[in-house]
Amino acid sequence: MQVNLPRQRLRLRVSAAAESALRSGHPWVWAESCREQSRAGQLGELAVIYDRQDRFLAIGLFDPHAPLRVRVLHTGKPQTIDPAWWRRRLLAAVERRAGRFDALTTGYRLVNGESDGWPGLVLDRYDQTLVLKLYTAAWWPRLDEISANLAAQWPEARIVLRLSRSLQRVAEPGYPFTDGQLLRGPGLEGPVLFRESGLRFEAEVQRGQKTGFFLDQRDNRRIVESLARGRDVLNSFSFSGGFSLYAARGGARSVADLDISAHALASAQSNFALNDDSETVARCPREAIRADAFDWFDQNPARKFDMIILDPPSLARREAERARAIQAYGRLAANAIAHLRPGGILAAASCSAHVSAAEFFAVVRQAARRSERNFEELQTTGHPPDHPATFPEACYLKCIYLRLPPKHRSPGSPRRVATKTLGLNIRRGARGRSQVIKLGS
């Protein structure tokens, strides 16, 4: 499908505030920021934005129907956006990940939207399957060109198209694309298999959440593996059991997957079966609990664990839900802490972009203080390298690790901590000495 561009380039001028945001690198222009427009624009055409002195400011993809009117491709000096430009832009994203993954990891993100210069588009690799997910209809007129570029870069790969929920609800005349559509390569009869840190996983690339798997939690799964030895581990909101499988390989005494979805629990079981050649995975007892995590914590006060992972889906999909989401995160953290044994570890994660890292970490720490139990703060994490976040709205992922002392101590009983703890960074004092975070005081 070819893009039929008008002869005259679409020209825009925007508000002073939008100009300032573009100069600082922000990749979005909202409809209410547009002050002048040379003519009616077409879906997916290139819109050139000029400043008040009629100088080139930016160029981006135009969507006449969306509140987010222009998604910026380039700022600075003018450039010609031609087929060679698109190929260079794709290669630049690929080269940013060069050397980060070997044959033991064949699932990772190749393009992360605006932060890789492809606004509203992500591309994930699952071994020989590429999953292209679109978040804006502005890409539809260019889909054939994108698909051809991907095929040229990875000629043996299958290419699957995924659409955001908002795009699934919108039908554009002339663009009959569907979620899960196969763009190139052999058909699929089920999940595709890939490797992550040597473990085998299945990804439901045509119908699963996101593009089929939560690739962004890879680094946190590795941290959990390093902390799991000898522990009874509860993986709440477990989805397909990634954290549990890493914990089992790391020598956990037992793992329990807690999820409201029977399908998710079955997927976790399949992933464990894929790795039964691992001695530590095979001998680790696994329990599957189908329940709402909020209710289960309330209804099972006697169940105790040495490590609890909280990795819920986004609890704030819009700004209006932010305050309630923060309260929910606090409730989850408090409930999990109540189910930890002495020496237990809490790994609490959030993928809500509308809740900042500072707000999330603060509410988890507050829950720890209110428990009247001292904690060490082992580490906080954010986005992995293949999921760069170059502007505020792109920042969504954060995780905090807290650990109880081996035996319960009164709030006024501090304890020094060794400088090295399982290879993780403990918060340090002014002189570089590791310290206990006395959240109970």
Side-chain angles (χ1 to χ4, degrees):
M1 190 174 299
Q2 299 298 317
V3 184
N4 297 316
L5 294 177
R7 293 180 180 178
Q8 183 184 12
R9 181 72 76 193
L10 177 62
R11 295 167 57 99
L12 300 177
R13 284 190 173 85
V14 297
S15 67
E19 274 193 30
S20 178
L22 289 171
R23 292 187 193 282
S24 67
H26 201 283
W28 293 345
V29 176
W30 297 95
E32 60 265 27
S33 298
C34 296
R35 293 293 181 261
E36 297 179 26
Q37 185 170 323
S38 61
R39 57 169 173 78
Q42 297 181 5
L43 178 67
E45 73 169 293
L46 296 175
V48 182
I49 302 172
Y50 292 87
D51 67 14
R52 285 164 289 180
Q53 283 73 45
D54 205 33
R55 295 172 301 193
F56 174 88
L57 186 59
I59 187 169
L61 297 173
F62 185 79
D63 186 341
H65 311 301
L68 210 173
R69 193 56 48 90
V70 181
R71 294 180 184 253
V72 174
L73 292 167
H74 171 71
T75 59
K77 295 182 179 180
Q79 291 188 358
T80 300
I81 311 296
D82 57 14
W85 187 93
W86 291 109
R87 290 193 293 272
R88 291 194 301 271
R89 178 60 61 98
L90 176 61
L91 185 59
V94 173
E95 288 178 344
R96 289 187 195 101
R97 290 145 176 88
R100 294 194 177 277
F101 305 104
D102 57 19
L104 295 179
T105 297
T106 60
Y108 47 86
R109 179 148 294 181
L110 288 161
V111 175
N112 195 44
E114 285 84 346
S115 298
D116 272 313
W118 292 81
L121 179 155
V122 301
L123 179 68
D124 286 344
R125 176 193 174 189
Y126 296 97
D127 197 48
Q128 293 302 307
T129 296
L130 300 177
V131 183
L132 175 69
K133 187 162 185 178
L134 303 182
Y135 292 85
T136 171
W139 285 113
W140 284 349
R142 301 177 184 276
L143 196 52
D144 282 352
E145 182 180 6
I146 294 170
S147 180
N149 283 336
L150 297 181
Q153 183 72 28
W154 296 280
E156 304 299 322
R158 172 193 293 115
I159 304 175
V160 174
L161 176 67
R162 297 297 305 272
L163 304 177
S164 67
R165 279 191 286 269
S166 61
L167 284 190
Q168 292 177 43
R169 295 191 293 265
V170 176
E172 289 285 347
Y175 304 111
F177 302 118
T178 58
D179 185 49
Q181 180 178 337
L182 184 67
L183 298 180
R184 290 178 183 260
L188 280 167
E189 298 181 356
V192 300
L193 301 182
F194 70 99
R195 295 173 73 90
E196 184 182 272
S197 309
L199 291 168
R200 301 179 192 88
F201 289 95
E202 61 180 26
E204 297 184 11
V205 298
Q206 290 185 295
R207 293 290 179 265
Q209 296 186 50
K210 301 189 82 171
T211 62
F213 195 79
F214 291 89
L215 295 171
D216 52 4
Q217 287 285 28
R218 179 193 317 108
D219 289 353
N220 284 317
R221 286 189 283 267
R222 290 170 175 169
I223 293 173
V224 164
E225 179 178 20
S226 74
L227 295 167
R229 181 166 301 279
R231 297 180 181 275
D232 294 317
V233 177
L234 174 65
N235 180 15
S236 53
F237 306 94
S238 59
F239 186 52
S240 55
F243 279 107
S244 305
L245 191 50
Y246 271 82
R249 188 175 68 173
R253 184 165 49 217
S254 70
V255 295
D257 284 325
L258 171 60
D259 203 286
I260 199 170
S261 167
H263 181 75
L265 293 171
S267 179
Q269 179 60 42
S270 297
N271 285 328
F272 267 77
L274 288 172
N275 293 276
D276 60 5
D277 58 342
S278 165
E279 181 180 350
T280 54
V281 171
R283 70 168 180 248
C284 181
R286 173 182 174 268
E287 178 185 4
I289 305 169
R290 185 183 179 189
D292 177 274
F294 287 91
D295 294 339
W296 188 88
F297 278 122
D298 290 337
Q299 296 166 6
N300 293 271
R303 292 293 304 269
K304 303 296 180 183
F305 298 88
D306 305 296
M307 185 176 197
I308 296 178
I309 298 130
L310 300 175
D311 186 25
S314 177
L315 300 182
R317 298 190 180 278
R318 55 189 62 87
E319 180 62 24
E321 299 172 347
R322 185 178 65 87
R324 183 174 295 181
I326 292 172
Q327 292 178 349
Y329 285 127
R331 176 187 167 193
L332 271 176
N335 283 342
I337 290 168
H339 287 74
L340 280 175
R341 297 181 184 126
I345 293 174
L346 172 66
S350 165
C351 63
S352 298
H354 291 286
V355 176
S356 70
E359 290 171 325
F360 177 68
F361 296 152
V363 78
V364 175
R365 291 167 182 147
Q366 182 182 61
R369 284 195 300 270
R370 289 177 175 175
S371 74
E372 298 185 353
R373 304 170 79 180
N374 289 341
F375 275 83
E376 304 164 26
E377 183 171 324
L378 300 179
Q379 191 173 13
T380 60
T381 63
H383 286 242
D386 60 332
H387 288 68
T390 58
F391 64 109
E393 291 86 345
C395 300
Y396 69 94
L397 186 64
K398 49 269 185 189
C399 187
I400 183 170
Y401 296 82
L402 302 178
R403 181 169 59 186
L404 281 168
K407 293 182 179 180
H408 180 72
R409 293 171 178 265
S410 64
S413 177
R415 185 171 60 90
R416 294 184 65 181
V417 185
T419 302
K420 294 183 179 180
T421 303
L422 297 172
L424 302 179
N425 295 324
I426 296 175
R427 181 178 287 182
R428 296 180 180 275
R431 298 183 180 178
R433 186 175 57 198
S434 58
Q435 63 186 62
V436 175
I437 312 302
K438 295 191 291 180
L439 299 179
S441 57

